[in-house]
Amino acid sequence: MNNTDKAIRDDFPIFGNISGVYLDNAATSQKPQCVIDAEKTFYETINSNPMRGFYEISLAATKAVEDARNAVRRFINAESEKEIIFTTNATSAINLAAYSLSAELTPCDRIVVSVAEHHSNMLPWREASRRTGAELVYMMCDEKGSFHDDEIERCITENTKIVAIGVVSNVTGARPPLEKIINAAHSVGAVVLADGAQSVPHEKTDVQALDIDLLAFSAHKMLGPMGVGVLYGKRKLLEKMPPFMTGGEMIESVTLGGEVYAELPHKFEAGTLNAAGIHAFKSAIDYYEKTDTDAIRQRELELTKYAFDGLSRIKNVRILGSEDYADHSGILSFTIDGVHPHDVSEILSADGICIRAGHHCAQPLLHHLGVYSSSRASLMFYNTTDEIDRFLHSVSTIRERMGYR
């Protein structure tokens, strides 16, 4: 391990407490000490309900939440902090959007969802279709995870009202032609929700430059704590959307005859927020900005190439998706001839290597690709080539250990 690797890994206390190789970063990332400390400090010094009290620590808790909101706004280049809504995770953010946007859907309308979506960006739209009668159409990709112009034209038609698309696939790491899809959707007046759970942690995201209408992502996949998500939305769109949940804090006034909802973003933040987690999320964003997201992206690209090239050289291993490592965004899903992915995962676990095996909450995509399960190694900038070497060596021995010659 070189000095750069050591300096990075020293920021993450878990690596001093485990001997294994963690390659399940697409599921959740590890947390630097500053994030852990920030959540602890919140509970030790300003623990109180934000937005509710006028006493000192409640005002401090409110400021902590709003400081984090502004950090998120800056990180994705949103126009206003009013466009940043805190949720519990990306799934809840997408459900919020699907429920609220479906208020104006009719049976004459169309919802377009890609076949490559995580279930969290598919099932909420399926429910919206069931509630409203709107047509649900799936945009299909090829075997490499790419979407072609004729398929985009087939799906996005004059009656399309919503297009839901992941920025990066959690199975293949493939990126759809996002700008082309957004332009096609906007040309017919449709709203685009982008699932950024696998993209925001790994690359610069500029929602204004991309002209994204809605973007969902989670803190826990980008060095932050579990239990915090974000829904970004254009202010004019959010102002028209009804709230997903009602109750405390999201109202301006309530009488026996009716209610007036609070202004953005609080209209969509019913109940008590995970203020300590949100405060810690700001520390995660600060860490990204201190480290430099361009440098992170370059390091992860180099690690992806190293792992992709090594995995490609192992006989009887098939990598799902593109043959170009740069198209994988640090995600390598693979199968081994004659070996079930669960067995692959168990053998690697016995060797101290943590990967994911199964359908990755994307069953329609796997079925479309002709497999029902796969193994997945996913990288983060704090991984090292030494760890990848351990992973590759273990993978290379699996068929023999399963009795193949």
Side-chain angles (χ1 to χ4, degrees):
M1 185 187 301
N2 60 40
N3 290 335
T4 301
D5 289 342
K6 186 176 187 308
I8 292 172
R9 289 172 71 83
D10 283 349
D11 289 336
F12 294 81
I14 194 167
F15 296 129
N17 295 311
I18 63 171
S19 58
V21 175
Y22 185 78
L23 297 177
D24 195 20
N25 296 285
T28 197
S29 66
Q30 298 303 335
K31 322 305 175 193
Q33 188 67 56
C34 62
V35 170
I36 297 168
D37 290 345
E39 186 156 3
K40 180 173 180 284
T41 298
F42 181 96
Y43 284 124
E44 289 180 341
T45 62
I46 59 172
N47 180 45
S48 57
N49 206 315
M51 321 293 180
R52 311 290 175 92
F54 290 98
Y55 49 91
E56 183 179 1
I57 60 173
S58 180
L59 293 173
T62 299
K63 183 178 185 302
V65 170
E66 295 309 316
D67 285 349
R69 196 188 307 277
N70 191 52
V72 174
R73 178 206 62 75
R74 184 181 66 247
F75 192 70
I76 63 171
N77 194 34
E79 184 176 2
S80 168
E81 66 274 4
K82 294 182 182 295
E83 297 176 322
I84 306 301
I85 298 161
F86 286 121
T87 64
T88 54
N89 44 50
T91 300
S92 63
I94 296 169
N95 273 271
L96 186 164
Y99 179 87
S100 295
L101 289 174
S102 66
E104 295 187 0
L105 289 176
T106 73
C108 297
D109 297 328
R110 171 178 282 196
I111 304 169
V112 176
V113 178
S114 97
V115 70
E117 298 311 299
H118 189 284
H119 297 161
S120 293
N121 199 28
M122 182 177 286
L123 299 185
W125 304 109
R126 190 175 291 179
E127 286 300 314
S129 172
R130 288 170 180 157
R131 284 196 305 271
T132 64
E135 179 188 22
L136 183 64
V137 173
Y138 295 105
M139 186 187 302
M140 309 304 284
C141 63
D142 64 20
E143 69 279 0
K144 295 182 180 180
S146 299
F147 293 87
H148 301 291
D149 290 355
D150 56 349
E151 181 65 4
I152 296 171
E153 292 172 7
R154 179 187 74 84
C155 294
I156 301 177
T157 56
E158 291 296 326
N159 62 330
T160 300
K161 292 295 184 289
I162 298 166
V163 177
I165 187 78
V167 183
V168 166
S169 166
N170 73 308
V171 174
T172 65
R175 300 173 55 87
L178 189 62
E179 293 184 14
K180 187 174 292 185
I181 290 169
I182 290 172
N183 290 336
H186 288 173
S187 72
V188 297
V191 169
V192 176
L193 180 137
D195 179 358
Q198 298 295 340
S199 61
V200 176
H202 303 284
E203 61 192 49
K204 283 187 176 178
T205 301
D206 187 330
V207 293
Q208 292 190 72
L210 289 169
D211 200 19
I212 293 175
D213 300 300
L214 297 158
L215 175 72
F217 56 99
S218 289
H220 76 95
K221 293 184 189 291
M222 50 184 295
L223 312 184
M226 296 181 182
V228 178
V230 173
L231 178 67
Y232 155 80
K234 291 180 179 176
R235 186 169 179 175
K236 288 184 178 179
L237 176 60
L238 293 175
E239 286 174 342
K240 293 192 304 181
M241 290 165 54
F244 175 42
M245 295 191 298
T246 55
E249 193 52 37
M250 52 74 63
I251 53 88
E252 184 68 32
S253 63
V254 177
T255 68
L256 293 180
E259 65 283 325
V260 176
Y261 297 134
E263 294 184 351
L264 293 174
H266 306 297
K267 179 175 77 169
F268 294 104
E269 294 179 343
T272 298
L273 295 172
N274 179 4
I278 291 169
H279 177 57
F281 185 29
K282 180 183 182 299
S283 290
I285 292 173
D286 291 345
Y287 186 93
Y288 268 102
E289 293 179 332
K290 179 189 72 173
T291 307
D292 181 356
T293 50
D294 284 337
I296 286 172
R297 171 64 176 162
Q298 182 58 36
R299 180 177 172 82
E300 290 177 346
L301 192 62
E302 292 168 359
L303 290 171
T304 301
K305 183 180 189 307
Y306 190 83
F308 183 90
D309 288 349
L311 204 56
S312 299
R313 289 192 290 268
I314 301 174
K315 290 182 179 180
N316 303 112
V317 171
R318 172 196 170 196
I319 301 174
L320 303 187
S322 173
E323 295 173 359
D324 184 345
Y325 77 91
D327 295 334
H328 283 266
S329 306
I331 295 173
L332 299 173
S333 293
F334 62 96
T335 59
I336 300 178
D337 292 345
V339 185
H340 194 281
H342 289 170
D343 291 325
V344 173
S345 177
E346 286 289 335
I347 292 170
L348 291 181
S349 178
D351 290 346
I353 298 165
C354 311
I355 67 161
R356 175 83 178 269
H359 53 66
H360 316 302
C361 296
Q363 287 177 289
L365 174 60
L366 286 175
H367 294 176
H368 180 62
L369 297 177
V371 297
Y372 291 88
S373 183
S374 71
S375 303
R376 184 186 72 189
S378 49
L379 304 165
M380 202 80 175
F381 64 91
Y382 46 62
N383 287 124
T384 68
T385 54
D386 289 344
E387 290 183 314
I388 294 171
D389 285 339
R390 284 183 59 184
F391 160 71
L392 294 173
H393 174 72
S394 289
V395 170
S396 70
T397 68
I398 285 176
R399 276 180 52 88
E400 182 178 352
R401 290 158 78 176
M402 289 293 292
Y404 292 95
R405 293 291 183 268

